[in-house]
Amino acid sequence: MTIHSAVIQKLLSTNAHIGRQVATHHFKDYTYGFRNRMAIIDSDKTLICMRSAFNFISSLARQNGRFMFINTNPLFDEIFELMTKKVDCYSPSSNSLWRTGGFLTNCNSPKKFRSRNKKLCFGPTQPPDCIVIVDTESKSSVIDEAYKLQIPIVALVDSAMPLHTFSRIAYPIPVNPSVQFVYLFCNLITKTLLLEKNNLQLSNPKIDLREEAIRIEDKKRKNKLAKVGFTVIPYDDLAPLPEDIEETKKLLDKLVVLKVNHDSGSNMGFENPKSAIDIGDGKTFLDLIINQIETLNSKYGCQVPLFIFNKDDTHDSTLKVLEKYSESSIDVHTFKQGEHPELTLSGEHCSKEEVQTVDDGDIFRSLMIDGTLDLLLSQGKEYILVMKSDNVATVVDPNILNHLMTNTIDYCMEVTPSHSSNLILTPMNFKLQEIAQNQDKHLKDKFKLIDTTNMWVSLRAIKRLIDTNRLKPKKPSILKGSDYDQTLRQETKAESAVQFFDNVIGVSTPESRFLPLDATSDLLLLQSDLYTYREGVLTRNPARTNPLNPVIDLGPEFAKIDDFQRRFKSIPSITGLDSLVVRGDVWFGSNITLKGQVTIAAKPGSKLEIPDGVVIENKEINDPADIDG
């Protein structure tokens, strides 16, 4: 007996193939027909849909995704409680919270009970990345709420499920939700999540007491750092550049640009640094920065040098990108972390699987290599612009430099509003803890401002701190290069030396200057007709009337760059797009135009091809027939 036939026999033993007396039109693809007036569900199709759903659950588990498990049938309470306890998602205090409508979209004010039989097993307090429902009721409010919030749903559906509900489920599993099958289903979820958790633990060393002590000290230092306060100035309040070009030249001749080139594109299947990803027109992030500096040098006759701070695994690929600029007039210097004793402890080495994190102190101490800081000061350089992340919309802005020099500022952090409603119109005081230190989409809602990770620092102030030993070298944090440690890397990366400087400000730059490259969804924005690149600066298409960018949510099938490129013949036109959600095996033709709110979800086990030249506006596409409908 083959494995496939054994699994099918297991499904049949749970009566998973027995549907109801009615089968809706859209469900007929999953049925054989009727027997004894009961719809017979195709077990092969059930197996295909289960495989797609569990692949999705596995991919989320590998990224530490948050799951919400919903049970609307008291017959399954015991099974659910057993599963949620095993996967560490059980909470007695929240086990019966799913009794009110609006739990997701209106959690602060629901007052009417809808059904005392509905229960919720919900572990994390943040919005879930996936909702799993085992007994899907046709009028269950959770499906409508999840659809509004664009949260993917994995659900068991029967032959009587109406189209309105069925079309909103990202990963439907056609089946008879018998007690035996629900037990099998929950058992598979348990094994899947425990397997991924075990794989993550095996790929990470256990934390010893010494490392735990270091973490505690880091936490105390961050708590102290969070109390640091400074004034944030609106960008429009900055004084304009001098009208005399010669004065601007003298200004720019005092600037140095440093790119911290440590961010890897491994989460997108790109082994080189993210700064080497083609973001459109054959340009990379490094190309944009170099083009900006070339333009400034040419326009004002100045000489702004570029320093690139690499890791071992990003150094060689960066040099390849820079080969095309061998004849350029721009002065480019590269160095890497760990090749000098100033940046690493003697005798310490890292394997390719390990990641050395870098904080602001590491960056500033790197300038001491071979007397670089002293040399720059002797050349009349006074300020350094440090770019710590791959924010593709970064601008080397002389206006900010002019303000810093006029007011003798030691340290300036570029920040941007987290939402349009949080615009800074007058100078305001903020604590560092009020500014989001990383780009997590859920953290954004808790802060008014986001740190773009661009900082302008006085070279003389850096020299003063190093000479007085206030920026003491510390042992670099060494972490395994896995998805499990991504959060920890972000926290360590958020270390800031702002507390050591005397005269500190923030500048609130426009939202258009913050577009980090974190996923292929961002790559779709950058490669579309929404943006063009001129003199190294990202420019928004004037045809776009909405000041906000479209919200792009591509499924796991698009997560890797190679898959992303294969699934698009050409990038669609999105100047009129508000939001796009793509799920399943979807392939895009060429010259496609997307407008308004668009959802494209292929049926489990089927391939959905969007033909060339179509215009899709405010539609939900599940089948080719929906495009013309």
Side-chain angles (χ1 to χ4, degrees), residues 91-92 112 151 221 345 446:
S91 172
K112 294 182 180 180
I151 300 173
R221 186 167 62 253
L345 295 183
K446 300 181 180 180

Side-chain angles (χ1 to χ4, degrees), residues 201-254:
Q201 290 175 344
L202 289 175
S203 64
N204 294 278
K206 293 183 179 178
I207 300 175
D208 59 23
L209 294 178
R210 181 171 173 271
E211 289 175 337
E212 186 63 24
I214 293 174
R215 289 172 189 262
I216 293 173
E217 286 300 317
D218 284 345
K219 186 175 182 180
K220 290 180 180 178
R221 186 167 62 253
K222 289 175 188 176
N223 290 337
K224 179 182 177 182
L225 186 63
K227 299 178 182 179
V228 175
F230 53 91
T231 301
V232 175
I233 300 171
Y235 180 81
D236 292 339
D237 282 7
L238 300 180
L241 286 175
E243 294 183 2
D244 187 353
I245 292 182
E246 187 61 29
E247 290 297 319
T248 303
K249 174 189 179 300
K250 292 179 181 178
L251 191 73
L252 288 169
D253 275 334
K254 298 178 181 180

Side-chain angles (χ1 to χ4, degrees), residues 479-495:
L479 306 171
K480 289 290 180 180
S482 67
D483 293 336
Y484 180 77
D485 286 320
Q486 184 62 30
T487 302
L488 183 58
R489 283 204 296 274
Q490 289 177 347
E491 290 176 358
T492 309
K493 181 177 165 185
E495 294 281 340

Side-chain angles (χ1 to χ4, degrees), residues 119-388:
K119 293 187 178 182
L120 166 69
C121 299
F122 183 35
T125 57
Q126 292 180 325
D129 296 308
C130 174
I131 294 176
V132 180
I133 309 176
V134 296
D135 184 40
T136 312
E137 296 181 359
S138 61
K139 294 182 180 179
S140 179
S141 61
V142 64
I143 295 178
D144 293 331
E145 292 184 62
Y147 180 75
K148 289 178 183 178
L149 296 176
Q150 298 183 354
I151 300 173
I153 298 175
V154 175
L156 307 184
V157 297
D158 60 32
S159 59
M161 179 67 62
L163 177 61
H164 171 78
T165 303
F166 181 84
S167 61
R168 296 189 170 188
I169 299 173
Y171 294 91
I173 301 176
V175 73
N176 169 34
S178 63
V179 175
Q180 297 91 334
F181 181 82
V182 170
Y183 179 82
L184 173 64
F185 181 69
C186 291
N187 189 35
L188 290 174
I189 290 179
T190 303
K191 290 183 177 180
T192 300
L193 296 181
L194 291 180
L195 176 63
E196 294 299 340
K197 182 179 179 180
N198 185 55
N199 289 340
L200 289 173
Q201 290 175 344
L202 289 175
S203 64
N204 294 278
K206 293 183 179 178
I207 300 175
D208 59 23
L209 294 178
R210 181 171 173 271
E211 289 175 337
E212 186 63 24
I214 293 174
R215 289 172 189 262
I216 293 173
E217 286 300 317
D218 284 345
K219 186 175 182 180
K220 290 180 180 178
R221 186 167 62 253
K222 289 175 188 176
N223 290 337
K224 179 182 177 182
L225 186 63
K227 299 178 182 179
V228 175
F230 53 91
T231 301
V232 175
I233 300 171
Y235 180 81
D236 292 339
D237 282 7
L238 300 180
L241 286 175
E243 294 183 2
D244 187 353
I245 292 182
E246 187 61 29
E247 290 297 319
T248 303
K249 174 189 179 300
K250 292 179 181 178
L251 191 73
L252 288 169
D253 275 334
K254 298 178 181 180
L255 176 65
V256 178
V257 177
L258 186 149
K259 163 61 182 164
V260 180
N261 198 36
H262 282 207
D263 289 346
S264 170
S266 57
N267 66 311
M268 293 183 280
F270 190 75
E271 297 306 320
N272 295 325
K274 285 196 292 186
S275 61
I277 294 175
D278 183 353
I279 56 178
D281 298 332
K283 299 291 186 182
T284 67
F285 177 76
L286 282 180
D287 290 324
L288 297 189
I289 296 302
I290 292 175
N291 289 345
Q292 281 192 51
I293 296 176
E294 283 180 331
T295 301
L296 289 174
N297 289 347
S298 175
K299 181 177 180 180
Y300 296 103
C302 55
Q303 192 58 252
V304 178
L306 172 64
F307 288 77
I308 302 177
F309 186 19
N310 298 312
K311 292 188 303 181
D312 282 337
D313 57 350
T314 64
H315 190 68
D316 292 339
S317 56
T318 301
L319 293 179
K320 291 182 180 179
V321 174
L322 296 175
E323 286 178 357
K324 68 176 84 171
Y325 297 102
S326 58
E327 302 298 324
S328 174
S329 59
I330 187 172
D331 189 12
V332 181
H333 304 268
T334 62
F335 51 94
K336 59 183 177 179
Q337 184 182 13
E339 67 178 352
H340 292 271
E342 294 89 343
L343 300 180
T344 187
L345 295 183
S346 177
E348 299 243 351
H349 300 281
C350 297
S351 67
K352 290 183 179 180
E353 292 78 20
E354 292 175 332
V355 177
Q356 281 185 294
T357 60
V358 59
D359 67 6
D360 292 353
D362 293 324
I363 297 169
F364 299 146
R365 286 189 293 272
S366 70
L367 297 174
M368 299 300 293
I369 296 174
D370 301 329
T372 299
L373 181 57
D374 291 331
L375 178 61
L376 291 174
L377 288 170
S378 69
Q379 293 173 346
K381 305 296 183 183
E382 294 187 20
Y383 279 89
I384 183 168
L385 166 59
V386 180
M387 305 172 184
K388 293 192 288 182

